[in-house]
Amino acid sequence: MPQDKSGQIVWHDLFSTDRQRSMTFYERVAGWSFAVEHATDFAWGGGQVDFVLAMLANEAGAGFIETPKGMSGGWLAYAEVPNVDSASKYVESLGGEVVRAPFDVPGVGRNALVRDPLGAVVGISQSQHAFPIPARQFGNEIYLTGTSEFPTQFYSEVFGWSVSQPRDPQRGGAVISSLSGKAVAHHLPGLSQTDVQASWVPCINVVDTATALQAAEALDASQLSKSVLESTGECRYLIRDPDGALFCLSAGG
């Protein structure tokens, strides 16, 4: 039976100004290895390009890409929807913006990029392959904002998500769930670290956070904050990698 992916985070891309440096960084911090696939019609610029996949235990969970023209660097998450074109039509009426209209990724599916009403960019994905959702490299996504606000209606209409508010909104930890009830993300207010009000940040699973933090700092990354999720009691360490990309560390590996 095909896996039900609707509403779940199914992929990540990292846009980097120095892909090799980023590969070295995440290899040492997260224990990832890398594989190269040759794309004959590359989704981020066309033509024949070598595409780098980040791997853990023979599972590919992310792509490493030299920052495409017109795009900002950093991590980009993709959430699954039944139909990318239909979902994209709701975006502007809900106060968002279509950053890149639906486009095909040969052998993968159909994607689009959108910006929510608070400025956070996220990918919409319609998978056209039978591979399961990568489950090893990433935990639940983190939504960073400078306030307690979360655009619930936007994500409810576009992705079918629901939000369970925490007992103490100032501490954050609101759980964002798919239509099936599976937690896909957490909202952490008071932690916006970008030039927009909000951003999506991946949570990278590691075996030992102390070792990973030490490796990150040795490679010129900076720890920005430490937070405890009210819903689970887990610690999340917000890191800026040497290329400026934000991510969180969690002992989930």
Side-chain angles (χ1 to χ4, degrees), residues 158-205:
V158 178
F159 295 140
W161 288 351
S162 61
V163 179
S164 175
Q165 294 297 336
R167 293 185 298 273
D168 182 356
Q170 296 305 313
R171 288 184 60 195
V175 179
I176 302 159
S177 303
S178 67
L179 189 62
S180 66
K182 179 179 175 60
V184 295
H186 291 88
H187 172 211
L188 294 183
L191 289 173
S192 180
Q193 297 285 339
T194 67
D195 58 357
V196 295
Q197 186 177 346
S199 57
W200 283 105
V201 176
C203 192
I204 295 177
N205 292 329

Side-chain angles (χ1 to χ4, degrees), residues 139-158:
N140 290 337
E141 209 76 5
I142 300 294
Y143 189 78
L144 298 182
T145 57
T147 69
S148 60
E149 184 180 4
F150 180 81
T152 301
Q153 183 180 5
F154 178 89
Y155 286 102
S156 175
E157 295 288 342
V158 178

Side-chain angles (χ1 to χ4, degrees), residues 4 7 13 49-50 69 76 81 89-90 148 163 168 170 190 208 210 249:
D4 181 12
D13 279 329
V49 178
D50 284 337
K69 184 178 181 180
L76 176 66
V81 297
K89 292 178 181 178
Y90 289 104
S148 60
V163 179
D168 182 356
Q170 296 305 313
D208 180 73
L249 277 178

Side-chain angles (χ1 to χ4, degrees), residues 75-163:
W75 282 102
L76 176 66
Y78 296 84
E80 183 82 4
V81 297
N83 188 292
V84 164
D85 295 82
S86 296
S88 299
K89 292 178 181 178
Y90 289 104
V91 169
E92 292 185 355
S93 65
L94 294 167
E97 175 190 357
V98 177
V99 177
R100 185 177 180 188
F103 59 98
D104 292 318
V105 182
V108 175
R110 190 162 172 80
N111 293 341
L113 301 186
V114 302
R115 182 176 285 111
D116 75 20
L118 299 186
V121 175
V122 64
I124 303 178
S125 180
Q126 181 182 347
S127 300
Q128 296 172 354
H129 58 76
F131 295 109
I133 297 171
R136 296 178 181 272
Q137 288 163 291
F138 298 94
N140 290 337
E141 209 76 5
I142 300 294
Y143 189 78
L144 298 182
T145 57
T147 69
S148 60
E149 184 180 4
F150 180 81
T152 301
Q153 183 180 5
F154 178 89
Y155 286 102
S156 175
E157 295 288 342
V158 178
F159 295 140
W161 288 351
S162 61
V163 179

